[in-house]
Amino acid sequence: MLRLPLAERPDWQATAREFGFHFHTLYGEPYWDESACYQFSLRQIEQDLEDPTAELHQMCLEVVDRVVRDEQLLERFCIPPAFHDAIARDWFAGSPSLYSRLDLAYDGKGPAKLLENNADTPTSLYETGFWQWLWLEQQVDRGIISHRADQFNALQELLIDRFATLAARYPGTDLHVSCCRDTVEDRGTVQYLQDCAEQAGIRTRFLHVDEIGLRSDNRFVDLQAVPIRWLFKLYPWEFMLREDYGPRVIDSSTRFLEPLWKSILSNKALLPLLWQLFPGHPNLLPAYFEDDPAATSLSHHVRKPIFSREGANIQIIHNGRITAAADGPYGAEGYIVQQYHPLPRFGDNHTLIGAWLVNDQPAGISIREDTHRITQDLSRFLPHIILD
């Protein structure tokens, strides 16, 4: 695993405008960064990242199956009691999922370590599935990168295939897609998913989350009063279940992407359960609920709120002293602790790998880096290549 400095394409910003990549710079800081790329060998990709991603995902699904059968565990996951039965029904019914992303610490040598599972609303789809692939094609065409170079990136192809399968399951049903207002990144992610769905023959309709209405007969509708029968929402379940309309989800006729059972898979409480079920697994780190006496065994650990996203409210603690921290709105729901495992460092950059899955199958990787040890929403995205 190498970090290779590269000259930027002189026309990349014009190309970004052409292809609708409007969030390559955020708040005046670069988000997309092609001043370097990461290089992997095929063995590293296949044995150290792809195979463990598939195995870790199946382990996570085993945790879901255990949690839905146990009221006490559902409470540990801070899921409101009113939704316990509905989540179990959703799981046992096999409600289909679209995608997930596992965040991994990997230095090119030792086993990749799972840091968390982004299974409900993972972003960076467009820049992973399309933009970094376009970067590779152009750099190869211009002779900057060897024509032998490849990329672990089947994300777009697998998304389109998955949408085609779901379209056959729900024939003739429009897909409504939704995200919050005033976030260009979320809108870009949702637009990319719309494009993939439409390539699979699905008609899509966009609306913001706050534009979703509710009729007296418990049907969710859009601004034209069209019933929402199938909804992709870039809005976390832990937020949605606590909205005033949350209980209406249970009896509505809407099918959701991601499904309701993903509220378990995207939850940081997943990490202690994984360690309990698979202690000593080479791709796991010891993790415990903060009130578990065993948590005191971790003198160097990361303290994570159960609902934290994009690094918010994360603390790195060594012998009782906070050595790094990020602000945010989470924490009232409780914490887990996970053994500290440093991200690999390349110069001043701490590097995180996102391992994508579509329809339970590994689909590619994305790479984020930051000068800080905690990866957050503005951490830079860099492309990668496979070259032996």
Side-chain angles (χ1 to χ4, degrees):
M1 180 178 173
L2 304 171
R3 187 183 191 275
L4 305 176
L6 283 177
E8 296 182 346
R9 292 167 293 169
D11 58 347
W12 78 262
Q13 291 186 328
T15 305
R17 287 192 296 272
E18 177 185 354
F19 287 97
F21 188 13
H22 302 303
F23 53 97
H24 58 74
T25 302
L26 296 170
Y27 308 102
E29 297 294 329
Y31 168 64
W32 166 260
D33 184 354
E34 60 178 69
S35 64
C37 75
Y38 283 85
Q39 178 179 315
F40 300 84
S41 70
L42 184 61
R43 183 200 63 77
Q44 288 173 326
I45 291 293
E46 291 181 342
Q47 297 181 19
D48 295 350
L49 295 174
E50 185 175 10
D51 289 348
T53 293
E55 183 178 1
L56 285 166
H57 179 67
Q58 291 302 315
M59 291 158 56
C60 290
L61 295 180
E62 287 190 42
V63 171
V64 176
D65 192 63
R66 174 165 296 204
V67 172
V68 297
R69 302 170 189 272
D70 191 318
E71 289 287 327
Q72 290 184 331
L73 288 178
L74 285 163
E75 292 175 5
R76 271 299 214 182
F77 278 65
C78 298
I79 294 172
F83 298 95
H84 289 186
D85 288 344
I87 291 172
R89 288 196 303 270
D90 199 52
W91 169 252
F92 293 129
S95 294
S97 167
L98 180 64
Y99 69 149
S100 294
R101 190 189 76 234
L102 306 182
D103 282 350
L104 305 173
Y106 175 66
D107 62 3
K109 301 170 187 174
K113 299 292 186 180
L114 177 67
L115 301 182
E116 61 183 64
N117 190 340
N118 301 275
D120 184 14
T121 58
T123 52
S124 72
L125 271 177
Y126 172 85
E127 49 271 44
T128 302
F130 175 78
W131 184 254
Q132 70 167 341
W133 182 258
L134 179 65
W135 165 87
L136 176 61
E137 287 184 327
Q138 292 187 342
Q139 294 290 57
V140 169
D141 289 344
R142 297 173 185 184
I144 306 300
I145 291 176
S146 168
H147 70 277
R148 296 184 295 107
D150 200 355
Q151 195 174 85
F152 180 28
N153 191 359
L155 186 58
Q156 180 165 302
E157 176 186 352
L158 291 177
L159 283 170
I160 294 170
D161 288 348
R162 181 57 171 162
F163 274 124
T165 299
L166 294 175
R169 182 168 180 157
Y170 308 133
T173 304
D174 290 354
L175 174 65
H176 284 77
V177 297
S178 187
C179 67
C180 293
R181 293 181 185 274
D182 303 323
T183 165
V184 64
E185 182 185 1
D186 285 4
R187 184 65 187 98
T189 297
V190 166
Q191 180 62 61
Y192 179 62
L193 279 171
Q194 284 183 261
D195 292 344
C196 291
E198 288 167 2
Q199 288 187 60
I202 299 170
R203 188 169 69 172
T204 66
R205 298 169 178 262
F206 174 79
L207 74 168
H208 291 106
V209 169
D210 61 16
E211 294 173 330
I212 297 174
L214 184 66
R215 291 194 327 204
S216 59
D217 62 356
N218 207 39
R219 282 183 177 269
F220 290 108
V221 295
D222 63 19
L223 291 174
Q224 287 72 46
V226 174
I228 300 175
R229 296 185 172 88
W230 189 18
L231 175 66
F232 173 86
K233 51 160 199 67
L234 198 65
Y235 191 63
W237 273 116
E238 64 264 23
F239 294 172
M240 200 166 185
L241 297 185
R242 287 164 175 79
E243 298 281 5
D244 291 341
Y245 61 78
R248 302 296 186 92
V249 167
I250 297 174
D251 298 319
S252 78
S253 58
T254 301
R255 303 180 184 93
F256 292 94
L257 282 177
E258 290 296 287
L260 187 55
W261 58 264
K262 281 291 191 83
S263 58
I264 296 174
L265 205 59
S266 63
N267 189 305
K268 298 296 186 300
L270 176 79
L271 300 171
L273 266 292
L274 280 169
W275 187 248
Q276 179 182 326
L277 289 180
F278 307 99
H281 190 282
N283 298 116
L284 294 179
L285 295 167
Y288 306 97
F289 291 100
E290 190 174 47
D291 60 3
D292 186 333
T296 60
S297 66
L298 303 180
S299 60
H300 201 179
H301 64 269
V302 182
R303 185 174 186 246
K304 300 181 177 184
I306 285 174
F307 291 152
S308 175
R309 292 175 180 271
E310 298 181 322
N313 299 100
I314 298 292
Q315 297 176 330
I316 300 175
I317 300 174
H318 191 199
N319 291 328
R321 184 173 67 89
I322 298 173
T323 60
D327 294 331
Y330 304 98
E333 70 279 10
Y335 288 82
I336 65 98
V337 296
Q338 183 184 52
Q339 183 182 78
Y340 177 67
H341 185 86
L343 293 175
R345 188 170 177 176
F346 296 83
D348 293 331
N349 302 297
H350 303 271
T351 303
L352 177 74
I353 294 177
W356 290 89
L357 299 109
V358 175
N359 190 24
D360 302 329
Q361 300 299 315
I365 61 171
S366 54
I367 298 176
R368 306 285 298 278
E369 67 174 27
D370 205 301
T371 55
H372 301 286
R373 288 187 289 165
I374 299 172
T375 307
Q376 299 185 70
D377 56 343
L378 300 183
S379 298
R380 297 179 305 281
F381 187 107
L382 278 77
H384 77 277
I385 61 173
I386 304 171
L387 189 62
D388 284 311

